[in-house]
Amino acid sequence: MAVCLLDEKSNVGEDLLNQQDCDNGLKIPRSFRLLEELERGEKSTTEGFVTWGMDKDTSWFDFDGPVQWSCTIIGPPKTTCESRIYDLSIECGPDYPEFPPVVRFKTKINMKGVDSNGRLNPKEIPLLSDWKSQTTICAILQDIRKRMAHKDNNKLPQPPENATYS
């Protein structure tokens, strides 16, 4: 599992992989990209509030099909999500990273942009609707955590702790 540190001054756009290579028109093979994400997830030593790792049902050597990530976000302070642990899944489809992954909360949350099944609506999440292939799993998780603390979400009543979507 990787851990990303997110502070109030962090810019999600800073967490992009190989921006210079992408600007030069080089396309990183999907398997390399997924391995890089996995390595960042396993070797990160930064303390923080978001973690991710490959789902137990995903084979690390089979990157041709969908790849599932198990993720965790610790709710930001001074919000109704404070200190709660939210489990999420991120599925990178066969067209990832050219197309954004599907992001779904497993732990119930009341937040704008999250539907009744826990799925994030990409149209309501600019990082997903304006997708850049260099955007990382860490950047997605950081963005979600920032949204939890946003004025539109930070006072919304939350479901009981540990409630999950079916």
Side-chain angles (χ1 to χ4, degrees):
M1 284 271 192
V3 181
C4 275
L5 181 62
L6 175 70
D7 60 33
E8 309 321 319
K9 297 176 185 173
S10 292
N11 180 356
V12 172
E14 292 173 4
D15 190 30
L16 300 175
L17 293 174
N18 302 314
Q19 179 68 49
Q20 185 177 7
D21 289 342
C22 294
D23 289 344
N24 292 332
L26 297 175
K27 182 178 174 187
I28 299 169
R30 180 176 189 268
S31 59
F32 288 14
R33 169 61 186 276
L34 290 167
L35 284 169
E36 188 170 2
E37 294 264 20
L38 178 61
E39 184 176 358
R40 289 182 76 192
E42 290 180 340
K43 294 186 177 181
S44 179
T45 58
T46 310
E47 289 189 34
F49 306 103
V50 301
T51 65
W52 74 98
M54 193 166 290
D55 188 84
K56 63 181 175 157
D57 295 329
T58 298
S59 172
W60 67 269
F61 55 85
D62 181 20
F63 286 143
D64 293 333
V67 174
Q68 296 280 342
W69 300 92
S70 292
C71 311
T72 303
I73 298 175
I74 298 175
K78 300 178 183 172
T79 69
T80 55
C81 298
E82 182 172 12
S83 299
R84 288 184 176 212
I85 298 173
Y86 292 91
D87 292 324
L88 300 87
S89 67
I90 295 180
E91 180 178 322
C92 298
D95 294 325
Y96 178 83
E98 283 76 33
F99 291 91
V102 175
V103 182
R104 183 180 174 276
F105 276 88
K106 294 179 183 178
T107 308
K108 283 193 175 184
I109 188 167
N110 185 10
M111 186 172 116
K112 293 185 190 265
V114 177
D115 71 17
S116 62
N117 294 315
R119 187 172 168 171
L120 265 68
N121 180 346
K123 293 178 183 176
E124 296 185 42
I125 310 295
L127 189 67
L128 297 176
S129 64
D130 300 329
W131 182 252
K132 292 178 177 49
S133 63
Q134 309 92 320
T135 304
T136 64
I137 300 296
C138 185
I140 294 168
L141 296 170
Q142 287 178 335
D143 186 63
I144 293 168
R145 189 165 189 274
K146 276 187 174 183
R147 292 182 172 289
M148 290 173 162
H150 189 270
K151 66 180 181 175
D152 291 341
N153 295 312
N154 68 4
K155 300 295 181 203
L156 292 175
Q158 294 301 315
E161 255 185 278
N162 301 319
T164 58
Y165 294 99
S166 5

